Amino acid sequence: MAGGTSLGRDFGWLWAAYAAGATGTWIAFNAFPLLAITVLHKGAAEVAALAAVGAAVGAVVAVPLAPWVEFRRRRPVMIAMDLVRCAAMLSVAAAYVLGGLGFAQLLVVSVVVAAADITFGAASGACLKALVVRDDLVRASARLESTTWTATVLGPPLGGALFALLGPVATVVADAVSYLLSAAGIRAIRGADPIPERGEREERGDLVEGWRHILGHPLLRPLFLNTVLVNGLIMATAPLLAVLMLGPLGFSPWQYGLAFAVPCLGGLLGSRLARPLAERYGRHRVLRAAGVLRVCWPVGLAFVHPGVTGLLLVMGVEFALITCAGVFNPVLSAHRLGLTATDRVARTLTAWSVTGKASVAGLTALWGVLGGVIGPRPAIALAGVLLLATPLLLPSGGRLRAAEGDDQGLTRVSSR
């Protein structure tokens, strides 16, 4: 994992809980599509709807939960979301064993889990800010980022093995157990868990305070717009690249999987580099440099071709992209927490997550239509060219450098 300096017992439990949940999520990453295909015998349209509807409706459901989370103790909320996700996944396993599993249940569970994921993430961000001092936020975020990429590398192969050895719901049960382990880890945290004081606006139950804070902040706004657009354009090309590689270019499924599994090691590398780079060069320089570098590579995917060299091209592009993202993400997370007062963290993170999921869904649909009109390769190239322009949305290095002093003051004020 990233770095060897202890951040305290309580962060250790939070980290362990995060690792358990992330590992279970990636073990069960393809569980619902596989159940829909192999057990319920659904086609491509239903499988696509399962992924899109679950994420979109779950994001909508999560929006009104943000103010509710904001003014409650974080850890009970996180434990509750873990137990909700555990129960939802176990309901799928029970229905399968009893012979009553249906597509509607998979849709409902995917919505529940998506909403609980967003709510848990908002509460955990606020919990992290309470447990870790401002100067250690990059280190802590880097460790969580490293854990994410470790789970991304190891989870799907473990899930495939479980599916093959123990049957279709083995990964679902493993995911449910991971949420129980996560809840146990959070329960073991002993530090203070204060409830933020309500301001006049919060007492009115304002549901859009997260977006108001982001869009009204001179630094969070460009970072938000940049991140949402970059992630949306990157993810929008994934189905087109799959169609291109598995269709006309003749790559086998295992080669396609390998092309995206191996580059995830770049996420481990990037997350380990984030803290030392930030300490040496300053968070503002690292954030801007990594934000620029991470969009330089995807246009290369338009030149994918058959054979070993084509496979190596995809792996090289993805490795470079993911390494830069592994540096950028924890520094961004630390900056975002530092620039957000404690009584707005949950709503800010919820707004950020909901918008990100919506943009990915919208741009993926748009690029699917575009790929059908002009072809997958030109559509991938267009996304790559548009990504090259996204650094224009990043704030200047001078403004980011000034914010490093501002968020330190904000942290002191909001912690009183």
Side-chain angles (χ1 to χ4, degrees):
M1 299 300 177
T5 303
S6 173
L7 293 175
R9 173 188 178 279
D10 285 341
F11 174 77
W13 281 117
L14 179 65
W15 191 12
Y18 182 89
T23 301
T25 296
W26 282 100
I27 285 176
F29 180 65
N30 289 315
F32 280 16
L34 287 173
L35 284 170
I37 293 168
T38 62
V39 176
L40 303 179
H41 309 293
K42 299 298 181 180
E46 291 89 347
V47 173
L50 182 61
V53 172
V57 178
V60 172
V61 171
V63 171
L65 291 175
W68 178 79
V69 172
E70 196 76 83
F71 301 104
R72 280 163 178 79
R73 298 190 187 279
R74 316 304 197 215
R75 296 200 292 273
V77 171
M78 295 164 68
I79 292 171
M81 292 303 103
D82 273 335
L83 295 180
V84 166
R85 292 184 290 183
C86 176
M89 299 303 284
L90 286 179
S91 75
V92 173
Y96 171 79
V97 171
L98 297 174
L101 182 64
F103 186 71
Q105 183 180 0
L106 290 183
L107 275 175
V108 171
V109 170
S110 66
V111 169
V112 170
V113 171
D117 284 344
I118 294 172
T119 306
F120 181 93
S124 66
C127 182
L128 176 64
K129 183 169 182 176
L131 293 178
V132 178
V133 300
R134 180 260 180 194
D135 289 342
D136 285 333
L137 279 175
V138 172
R139 180 184 289 114
S141 298
R143 291 182 181 181
L144 299 180
E145 181 78 6
S146 175
T147 301
T148 297
W149 289 111
T150 301
T152 305
V153 172
L154 299 179
L158 290 174
L162 280 176
F163 190 95
L165 293 174
L166 301 178
V169 296
T171 57
V172 173
V173 174
D175 196 20
V177 171
S178 77
Y179 294 131
L180 286 179
L181 294 175
S182 173
I186 296 164
R187 180 70 179 81
I189 298 173
R190 292 289 180 263
D193 189 11
I195 302 176
E197 295 182 3
R198 291 176 180 266
E200 181 180 344
R201 177 178 294 168
E202 286 76 14
E203 290 178 353
R204 296 199 301 268
D206 195 348
L207 298 181
V208 297
E209 180 60 29
W211 283 287
R212 182 180 289 113
H213 171 60
I214 292 169
L215 297 177
H217 196 287
L219 288 177
L220 285 181
R221 181 175 61 251
L223 289 171
F224 171 72
L225 295 175
N226 173 269
T227 303
V228 166
L229 184 57
V230 168
N231 291 345
L233 286 172
I234 289 173
M235 296 304 297
T237 61
L240 300 179
L241 188 60
V243 168
L244 192 61
M245 292 181 68
L246 297 172
L249 299 183
F251 289 102
S252 63
W254 74 265
Q255 289 175 316
Y256 175 78
L258 185 67
F260 293 94
V262 172
C264 289
L265 295 173
L268 290 174
L269 174 62
S271 60
R272 291 182 67 88
L273 291 173
R275 179 187 58 83
L277 287 175
E279 290 180 350
R280 180 170 182 177
Y281 298 106
R283 288 191 306 174
H284 61 285
R285 291 192 182 95
V286 173
L287 188 65
R288 185 163 177 81
V292 172
L293 289 174
R294 81 194 199 284
V295 301
C296 293
W297 314 102
V299 69
L301 295 174
F303 301 97
V304 62
H305 51 274
V308 174
T309 55
L311 187 64
L312 291 176
L313 171 65
V314 174
M315 292 173 67
V317 168
E318 292 293 329
F319 182 84
L321 166 63
I322 292 173
T323 300
C324 295
V327 174
F328 180 85
N329 290 342
V331 181
L332 171 67
S333 296
H335 226 71
R336 183 173 57 195
L337 286 175
L339 292 171
T340 303
T342 301
D343 62 353
R344 286 184 174 86
V345 170
R347 286 169 293 174
T348 298
L349 296 182
T350 298
W352 201 295
S353 179
V354 166
T355 308
K357 290 179 182 296
S359 70
V360 168
L363 287 172
T364 299
L366 177 60
W367 249 254
V369 173
L370 190 62
V373 174
I374 65 175
R377 195 184 296 274
I380 292 171
L382 176 60
V385 171
L386 291 176
L387 281 167
L388 293 175
T390 57
L392 295 174
L393 292 172
L394 289 170
S396 67
R399 292 171 65 191
L400 288 170
R401 182 172 60 253
E404 291 195 48
D406 293 343
D407 72 15
Q408 187 172 7
L410 176 57
T411 300
R412 287 196 295 267
V413 171
S414 62
S415 62
R416 289 175 184 173

